[in-house]
Structures are given as C-alpha cells and as structure tokens.
Amino acid sequence: MMIKNVILLTKVSTKNLLESMNLISKSTGKFNKKSTYFWLLIIVMVAIGILSNYILSFLQQYGQTGIFLDVIFAMLLLIMFMQSIILSINVFYFSKDIEYFLPLPLRPMELMLSKFNTIMLVLYGSEAIFALIPLCLYGTTINLGIIYYPLLLIALLLLPILPTLIVSVLSLFLMQIMKFIKNKNVFQILITLLFIVIIVVAEIFYIKAVIEMPNDNEMNEEMLVNMQNVAKKINSSFLVVNPLISVLKDQNIWLNLIKVIGIYAIGFIILFFIGSKLYIKGVFKATQYSKKKVSKKIDIQSSVKITSPKVAYLKNEFRGLFRSPIFFMQGIFPVCMTMIALVFVIVFFKFNVIDKSQELVQSFSELKLNGEGASLILIACQIFFSFINISITSISRQGKNAVFMKYIPVNLYTQFLLKNVPQITFSTVFAIIIILMAKLLFPAIQLLDMLILFVISMIIGVLNSFLMMIVDIKRPNLDWNAEIEVIKQNENKLFQYVWSIVTVVILMYTKNLFADNFNLYIAYLVLFTIFTILLILVNVYVKKQIDKNKLFNKIGL
Amino acid sequence: MIEIKNVSKSYKRGQKVIDNMNLTVNDGEILGFLGPNGAGKTTVIKMMTGILEIDDGDILIDGESIQKDSYKAKKNIGLVPDSPDMFLGLKGIEYLNFIGDIYKVDKEERTRIIQDLAKKFDMQDALLQKIESYSHGMRQKIVIMGVLLHNPKNWILDEPITGLDPKAIYDLKIIMKEHASKSNVVFFSTHILEVAENLCDRVAIINKGKILFVGTLEQLQKRMKEESSLEELFMEIVNDD
C-alpha cells in the first residue's frame, strides 16, 4: 500500500512536470513533437553534444579518453549536490503543497518519499540534458559494445540517488535545529549557506589539488592524468561513483552493481529510520513557524514613507526577489556563489602561483589583449548573465499577482523596463568583476579596453535580460503551487540556453574574423554594432507589441 | 461613471463569453453584479479594469476609454480582485505604502487614511506582519484598505464579501454606502444575494455572457413576481434563460 501511494504521488508529479513542459500531448497522451520545448531541448542537447565531441577528440589525441568518464561524473555529482541542496529544504518542508498533502490519508514516509522523488525527477532532468548525449558519444567514440548503453542507463538511474540520499538525511538533522531559529526565511537561507559552505570548501580543496599540478606547458598529458586523479579522488569520496564508472568500463559489472545496490539499501534504511523519527516533526515545525505571527504595535506616522511610483515599483521588485528564500536561492544565490568561487580561484592563482614565478609574471604581464581575448571576456560575461534567473522568472514569480501590473496606472513599457532593472544590476556587477579579474590576470589590458568591454558587455546583458523577460511574459508560469516550480519546472530556461549559445556563436564567429593584425577597435566596433542593432530591434518589438496590446495578453486570462 | 458599450469577448473564435453587453453604472450608485458560476462576471470585471482586451465595443471610466487611454481610466479605478493573495512577501504597511506610492497619495492623507482604516478593520497589530501570515479575511481586508487608500472614484470589487468576518462585512457595507453617497460608483459582483438585496441601488443579472436584467429590486419584482425575494427572482430569471 505504501509503495502504491508513493508510486501514485510520483506519477502525479511526473505527469504534472511533463504536462507543464507541454512535452506530452494532453489530447493523445503521446510525446508532443510540436512542443517548442521539445525542439529547444534538442538544440541544447545537440550543442552539448558538439562540445563533448570536441573535448573527446582533444582527449583522443593524447589517448586519454578514459578521463572523460571520471570528469563528467565528478561534474555531474557537483551539479546534482548543488541542486539537491537548493531544493531539499524547500521541497521537504516549505513547499506550499505540503499543506495540501497533510490532510490526505498519507503516511509520513509516503509523503517523505514522494518529496524524495520530486528531487530525483529534477536531477534526472539535469542528467538528461547534461550527461546523456556526452556519455553516449563517449561510447561511440571509443567503440564500446552495445551492452554499454543499457549499463549507461542503469548508471544514470542510480547516480542521483546518492546526492538525494545524503542531502535528505542531512536536511532531516538540520531541521531539528530549527527550534533555535524564529524566522523561517532566515532559517532556509542559513541552512543553504551552511550546505554551500561545505561545497565551496570541497571546491577549494579540488582547486588546490589542480593548482598543485605541474605548470609546464609541455606536460599536457601529465596534466590530463593529474586531472583524472583529482576527479577520481572526488569520485572515490562518494562510495557509489567509482563502482558505477567501473560498470560502464565493463569491469566486474555484477559485483559493482551489487555493491552500489548494497550501499543504497543501507542508505535507505538510514533514511527510513531517521525519517520515521524526524520528518513529520520537522514538517509540523515548518508549518507552525510559517503561521507564527509577531504582534507589534505600529507607529503609522513614522511607517508611512513616500517615494515616487517608479522607485516604489522598483523597490517592490527587489523586495519580491529577496523576501522569498526560494526565489533568492534559485534566482541569484548560486550565481553569486559561483562568482565568489571564481574570484577566489583567480586571486589564489594570481598570488600563489603567478606571483611566485618570475617567468609566469613576465609572460602574463606581456600578454596583450587581442580580438580573441576580448571575445573570451565577453563570452564569460554572457555565461554568467545566463545563470541569473531574475528576468526569466520576473512575471512567473508573481503567480496570480501578475495581473496587478495590468490594472495599475503605470505604463506597461515603463513596467517592462523597471522589471529588467534587477537582472541588469546583477549583470553590471558581474561584468565589472569579470573585467577586473581579467585585468588582475593580464595587467597589460588598458583602461580604455576595459571601459569598452564593459559597455559592450552591458549591451549584451541588457539584450539578454530583455529577451528573457519577453520569453517569460509570453510564456508565464502563473499557476504554481510551490515556489520551487517557478524555476525548476520552468521550461523557459531552455530559451536562455539557446540564446547563450547564439551569443557565444556570434562572439566566437567574430573572434575568428579578428586576425592578430586586425585592429582591435574595429573589432569592438563590429561587436558593438551587432549587439546594439539587436537591442534596438528587440526594443522596437516590445514597444510595438505593447501598442498592439499583444505583449501582456497571456497575463490575466 | 462606468459605461459598458456593446462589449463582446471570445476566448475561442466563434464562442462569445460576453455578447454585445451594454450597462451603465451612474455616479452615486451601488450596482450588484449577479450571475451563476461561469456567467462571465469576472471576464467583465477584467475588461473593465484593463486586464483583458475587449474584442468589440468599449468601456468608459469617467468618460475615459480603458482601451484608448488606459492610464487615465486606471487612475480612477480601485479593484478588489477575487483572490486576495497579493504580495505575500510584503508586510501590511509595506503593501499600503507601495499602493500609496503607485497612486501618488501624499504623506499626510496616507497617514490619516491608514490610521483610520487600521482601526476600522482592526488591523493595527497586523500591519507589521507579512501578508503571507494573514488569514484569508485579513488578506481581503488589506487589499480593501489598499483600494480605499487612493480613494478612486470607481470601486470595482470581485466577490468582496467572501472570507470576511461579520464585523468586517458590516464595516465594508458601511464604507461602500459612504463611498457611493459621495457621488462615486461601487460596482461589485457577489453570490450572496442577501447582501445585494440590502445594499444595492440596482442589480444586473448576467448569464451566459448576456445581461438578463438591470434595475432596482422593485422593478424586478414588478416584472416577475411581487413579494418575492431576490433569491427567488434570481433563480427564476436564470432558469428561464
């Protein structure tokens, strides 16, 4: 009965997920090939495939294709840990649907396992996008037999269980300290911070290990072997990963599979044992705290503050983003952490590696910026912009409230611009940091170059923000029950991936035009012109759509 | 004054959910908008407030077209939507300040109105709490307070009574009467016929996208059966359709 209920709940979640992505036709119940998302998904997967193919060919030159498996699994693990950390506390304890489930005749364990499965589904989605094609390509590149593919499927089905299990058990324990915390929002952010600190510390050790590798340019092969060793070290820390890799390498398949299943069996026994003692207590605590009211007398005289409508609107946009922990954690928190990690790596590399070697100091200082370098800096900016999930959820985050924007006396174009400000603000900060980091590494970059790069990166950032907001306005997800769905079930993110690919292609293509003797300022002018024209076209489109009452017509239906 | 002129709306081609509707709500009047579920009440309210596009016809708010000059029209509208789950992450006072800023209510007036309404709706202790911690009734109250704060000439309320406690219903009815008595318009949809019977100057009954009746209760009784309650008349008129 228990398994039946868990399967039922999981089926409902899966169906909801697929229907929300329009991947399953509601009328026929079959795969919907007309879905835009289906095709976008294909495009993103193909792009990842091309990149993987490029990496595999590179590795093949050195006869080191084996590294691919270790590195892909290590990266997948890191991605999945990060995702399950961000999801776990909200899904298990703070999602709105918990209150709908509580009155149902479900056992606590059924509820917990259905929540467990929700996280697993998201991780399977990530695997499908990021790992399926690269690992299939790996199989074809080194001509593995047909048996590799069913084994790959088994490995991919088993892998996400590990991060979900570990993070779930930790969440159960961490929830117990909630009695010391009065504010559930602060609690959610603190817990996530704690988790992230653990990940960042692990990352620092990883980076340190990589930096300790020999720096000689001629030691590419040795570098690759060292990289593999680091990846192996990470993988061996998580008991099931190396056995799964061994399964794919056709080494003791049955023994390794039994080993993995055995470890999971122990893991689930621990989860069941702790879950039966702690889960429902935690759920009650969470629902109780979310209802807790602080009764305070208000001094209305001093609480009334006047601001202009535009500033008030903007303040409200920022408030909405920061007040909901899940929006904050999914919208900007990961990208901030990634940026901090990047700054850390570059600063560490600069002062602990470059500055300690006279030769390196000289070679880095002599490197002058060329068209290729400028394009790479702009590509880095675009990649960071694409991680910011603010514009792409700006309408969806409002849920049914979104209708508000249509009946207030504030021009819709003005609202469109104001809603873009948070994403553009973060893009500006990231662009400045990236350019400063480039300057730190390559001191020869001139101030004028930095200024020009900043201007172009901002045009790219504004264009990215406008486009993603148009996507969210045209395809908003307003009927959500849990905040988590706004981003995790947000298929619009695929548009962001596609647009990033387009931008990178534009930058890469123009990079190829810029030969070493090509005037850098003409290169800047070309990039500036391309992105400015695109931005003007998008802006004209927005204005025309608003004039025709077409842009916001999906809101308020 | 609100004028709905030959308004039609379809969600699917050929299936009109609102069919050539005409209705005028005069200044100083409370009009109850009645109809069964799915009759088209919310669609009409959405068109009146600029949320939905009008396919044919026009709606004028104090003479300004909601389609052609929506900015001016919207300045004269205060909407209480059917779902009061608005801006749950904001504290009550932050929400009121936000609305005050959007509608440019000056500090003195804002302070006075908030003090007044907080007392009237018994919300003094709740204004520093986040709206997400409010009960349904309290959420309804804060949204109503937001509308009253900018004191629009035309009040449009979609099912405003639902979820309110008896005292709040009583207070709201008084406020609606006060508002109409100052030559303003109160247009509200409701399922609670008793409220409509006691409160409205006129009622409009809508079914399947068409207005079946507009007038006073007395006119309705004259047309149908004398000495019948609004509930009986409503059932008769809707069933006849």
Side-chain angles (χ1 to χ4, degrees), chain A residues 417-431:
Chain A
L417 294 181
L418 291 171
K419 279 186 174 293
N420 271 289
V421 173
Q423 166 108 12
I424 293 169
T425 309
F426 279 96
S427 302
T428 310
V429 174
F430 291 152

PDB file of all heavy atoms in Angstrom, chain A residues 417-431:
ATOM      1  N   LEU A 417      10.527  47.991 -18.430  1.00  0.00           N
ATOM      2  CA  LEU A 417      11.896  48.467 -18.164  1.00  0.00           C
ATOM      3  C   LEU A 417      12.259  48.275 -16.687  1.00  0.00           C
ATOM      4  O   LEU A 417      13.345  47.784 -16.363  1.00  0.00           O
ATOM      5  CB  LEU A 417      12.039  49.947 -18.545  1.00  0.00           C
ATOM      6  CG  LEU A 417      11.914  50.276 -20.032  1.00  0.00           C
ATOM      7  CD1 LEU A 417      12.097  51.769 -20.250  1.00  0.00           C
ATOM      8  CD2 LEU A 417      12.945  49.517 -20.869  1.00  0.00           C
ATOM      9  N   LEU A 418      11.332  48.639 -15.810  1.00  0.00           N
ATOM     10  CA  LEU A 418      11.636  48.549 -14.373  1.00  0.00           C
ATOM     11  C   LEU A 418      11.858  47.104 -13.948  1.00  0.00           C
ATOM     12  O   LEU A 418      12.720  46.818 -13.112  1.00  0.00           O
ATOM     13  CB  LEU A 418      10.495  49.162 -13.547  1.00  0.00           C
ATOM     14  CG  LEU A 418      10.337  50.683 -13.660  1.00  0.00           C
ATOM     15  CD1 LEU A 418       9.064  51.148 -12.981  1.00  0.00           C
ATOM     16  CD2 LEU A 418      11.533  51.404 -13.045  1.00  0.00           C
ATOM     17  N   LYS A 419      11.093  46.205 -14.530  1.00  0.00           N
ATOM     18  CA  LYS A 419      11.249  44.794 -14.174  1.00  0.00           C
ATOM     19  C   LYS A 419      12.607  44.247 -14.618  1.00  0.00           C
ATOM     20  O   LYS A 419      13.070  43.237 -14.111  1.00  0.00           O
ATOM     21  CB  LYS A 419      10.114  43.956 -14.785  1.00  0.00           C
ATOM     22  CG  LYS A 419       8.850  44.017 -13.965  1.00  0.00           C
ATOM     23  CD  LYS A 419       7.797  43.087 -14.501  1.00  0.00           C
ATOM     24  CE  LYS A 419       6.591  43.062 -13.587  1.00  0.00           C
ATOM     25  NZ  LYS A 419       6.863  42.474 -12.281  1.00  0.00           N
ATOM     26  N   ASN A 420      13.206  44.894 -15.595  1.00  0.00           N
ATOM     27  CA  ASN A 420      14.519  44.453 -16.070  1.00  0.00           C
ATOM     28  C   ASN A 420      15.668  44.926 -15.173  1.00  0.00           C
ATOM     29  O   ASN A 420      16.772  44.385 -15.253  1.00  0.00           O
ATOM     30  CB  ASN A 420      14.765  44.971 -17.490  1.00  0.00           C
ATOM     31  CG  ASN A 420      14.253  44.010 -18.534  1.00  0.00           C
ATOM     32  OD1 ASN A 420      14.828  42.948 -18.717  1.00  0.00           O
ATOM     33  ND2 ASN A 420      13.167  44.359 -19.190  1.00  0.00           N
ATOM     34  N   VAL A 421      15.384  45.935 -14.359  1.00  0.00           N
ATOM     35  CA  VAL A 421      16.478  46.545 -13.577  1.00  0.00           C
ATOM     36  C   VAL A 421      17.222  45.539 -12.662  1.00  0.00           C
ATOM     37  O   VAL A 421      18.459  45.529 -12.659  1.00  0.00           O
ATOM     38  CB  VAL A 421      15.965  47.776 -12.779  1.00  0.00           C
ATOM     39  CG1 VAL A 421      17.032  48.307 -11.845  1.00  0.00           C
ATOM     40  CG2 VAL A 421      15.533  48.857 -13.746  1.00  0.00           C
ATOM     41  N   PRO A 422      16.509  44.682 -11.894  1.00  0.00           N
ATOM     42  CA  PRO A 422      17.275  43.777 -11.019  1.00  0.00           C
ATOM     43  C   PRO A 422      18.283  42.906 -11.780  1.00  0.00           C
ATOM     44  O   PRO A 422      19.437  42.787 -11.378  1.00  0.00           O
ATOM     45  CB  PRO A 422      16.196  42.922 -10.352  1.00  0.00           C
ATOM     46  CG  PRO A 422      14.977  43.769 -10.382  1.00  0.00           C
ATOM     47  CD  PRO A 422      15.064  44.546 -11.647  1.00  0.00           C
ATOM     48  N   GLN A 423      17.829  42.308 -12.893  1.00  0.00           N
ATOM     49  CA  GLN A 423      18.753  41.445 -13.648  1.00  0.00           C
ATOM     50  C   GLN A 423      19.930  42.270 -14.191  1.00  0.00           C
ATOM     51  O   GLN A 423      21.080  41.844 -14.140  1.00  0.00           O
ATOM     52  CB  GLN A 423      18.006  40.764 -14.813  1.00  0.00           C
ATOM     53  CG  GLN A 423      18.908  40.124 -15.833  1.00  0.00           C
ATOM     54  CD  GLN A 423      18.924  38.597 -15.819  1.00  0.00           C
ATOM     55  OE1 GLN A 423      18.102  37.954 -15.191  1.00  0.00           O
ATOM     56  NE2 GLN A 423      19.887  38.017 -16.503  1.00  0.00           N
ATOM     57  N   ILE A 424      19.614  43.470 -14.698  1.00  0.00           N
ATOM     58  CA  ILE A 424      20.677  44.312 -15.274  1.00  0.00           C
ATOM     59  C   ILE A 424      21.652  44.741 -14.170  1.00  0.00           C
ATOM     60  O   ILE A 424      22.866  44.797 -14.387  1.00  0.00           O
ATOM     61  CB  ILE A 424      20.071  45.515 -16.031  1.00  0.00           C
ATOM     62  CG1 ILE A 424      19.307  44.999 -17.265  1.00  0.00           C
ATOM     63  CG2 ILE A 424      21.153  46.495 -16.472  1.00  0.00           C
ATOM     64  CD1 ILE A 424      18.449  46.027 -17.957  1.00  0.00           C
ATOM     65  N   THR A 425      21.126  45.006 -12.975  1.00  0.00           N
ATOM     66  CA  THR A 425      22.010  45.393 -11.861  1.00  0.00           C
ATOM     67  C   THR A 425      23.014  44.283 -11.572  1.00  0.00           C
ATOM     68  O   THR A 425      24.223  44.535 -11.460  1.00  0.00           O
ATOM     69  CB  THR A 425      21.167  45.669 -10.589  1.00  0.00           C
ATOM     70  OG1 THR A 425      20.143  46.569 -10.930  1.00  0.00           O
ATOM     71  CG2 THR A 425      22.003  46.238  -9.465  1.00  0.00           C
ATOM     72  N   PHE A 426      22.494  43.059 -11.451  1.00  0.00           N
ATOM     73  CA  PHE A 426      23.416  41.945 -11.163  1.00  0.00           C
ATOM     74  C   PHE A 426      24.376  41.710 -12.334  1.00  0.00           C
ATOM     75  O   PHE A 426      25.552  41.413 -12.131  1.00  0.00           O
ATOM     76  CB  PHE A 426      22.630  40.670 -10.835  1.00  0.00           C
ATOM     77  CG  PHE A 426      22.163  40.651  -9.418  1.00  0.00           C
ATOM     78  CD1 PHE A 426      20.899  41.069  -9.077  1.00  0.00           C
ATOM     79  CD2 PHE A 426      23.005  40.255  -8.393  1.00  0.00           C
ATOM     80  CE1 PHE A 426      20.474  41.096  -7.762  1.00  0.00           C
ATOM     81  CE2 PHE A 426      22.595  40.268  -7.071  1.00  0.00           C
ATOM     82  CZ  PHE A 426      21.320  40.698  -6.757  1.00  0.00           C
ATOM     83  N   SER A 427      23.860  41.862 -13.561  1.00  0.00           N
ATOM     84  CA  SER A 427      24.720  41.687 -14.744  1.00  0.00           C
ATOM     85  C   SER A 427      25.855  42.706 -14.703  1.00  0.00           C
ATOM     86  O   SER A 427      27.004  42.377 -15.009  1.00  0.00           O
ATOM     87  CB  SER A 427      23.927  41.880 -16.028  1.00  0.00           C
ATOM     88  OG  SER A 427      22.871  40.981 -16.075  1.00  0.00           O
ATOM     89  N   THR A 428      25.524  43.949 -14.309  1.00  0.00           N
ATOM     90  CA  THR A 428      26.542  45.001 -14.251  1.00  0.00           C
ATOM     91  C   THR A 428      27.641  44.606 -13.262  1.00  0.00           C
ATOM     92  O   THR A 428      28.837  44.696 -13.571  1.00  0.00           O
ATOM     93  CB  THR A 428      25.895  46.336 -13.786  1.00  0.00           C
ATOM     94  OG1 THR A 428      24.748  46.563 -14.573  1.00  0.00           O
ATOM     95  CG2 THR A 428      26.861  47.490 -13.907  1.00  0.00           C
ATOM     96  N   VAL A 429      27.209  44.168 -12.080  1.00  0.00           N
ATOM     97  CA  VAL A 429      28.192  43.794 -11.047  1.00  0.00           C
ATOM     98  C   VAL A 429      29.094  42.667 -11.562  1.00  0.00           C
ATOM     99  O   VAL A 429      30.325  42.730 -11.439  1.00  0.00           O
ATOM    100  CB  VAL A 429      27.462  43.362  -9.741  1.00  0.00           C
ATOM    101  CG1 VAL A 429      28.450  42.842  -8.708  1.00  0.00           C
ATOM    102  CG2 VAL A 429      26.664  44.522  -9.180  1.00  0.00           C
ATOM    103  N   PHE A 430      28.469  41.657 -12.176  1.00  0.00           N
ATOM    104  CA  PHE A 430      29.265  40.521 -12.652  1.00  0.00           C
ATOM    105  C   PHE A 430      30.210  40.926 -13.781  1.00  0.00           C
ATOM    106  O   PHE A 430      31.351  40.469 -13.841  1.00  0.00           O
ATOM    107  CB  PHE A 430      28.361  39.368 -13.107  1.00  0.00           C
ATOM    108  CG  PHE A 430      27.636  38.718 -11.958  1.00  0.00           C
ATOM    109  CD1 PHE A 430      26.420  38.100 -12.136  1.00  0.00           C
ATOM    110  CD2 PHE A 430      28.177  38.729 -10.679  1.00  0.00           C
ATOM    111  CE1 PHE A 430      25.749  37.509 -11.072  1.00  0.00           C
ATOM    112  CE2 PHE A 430      27.518  38.147  -9.609  1.00  0.00           C
ATOM    113  CZ  PHE A 430      26.301  37.538  -9.809  1.00  0.00           C
ATOM    114  N   ALA A 431      29.709  41.803 -14.681  1.00  0.00           N
ATOM    115  CA  ALA A 431      30.565  42.244 -15.798  1.00  0.00           C
ATOM    116  C   ALA A 431      31.785  42.977 -15.240  1.00  0.00           C
ATOM    117  O   ALA A 431      32.922  42.733 -15.677  1.00  0.00           O
ATOM    118  CB  ALA A 431      29.768  43.142 -16.735  1.00  0.00           C
TER     119      ALA A 431
END
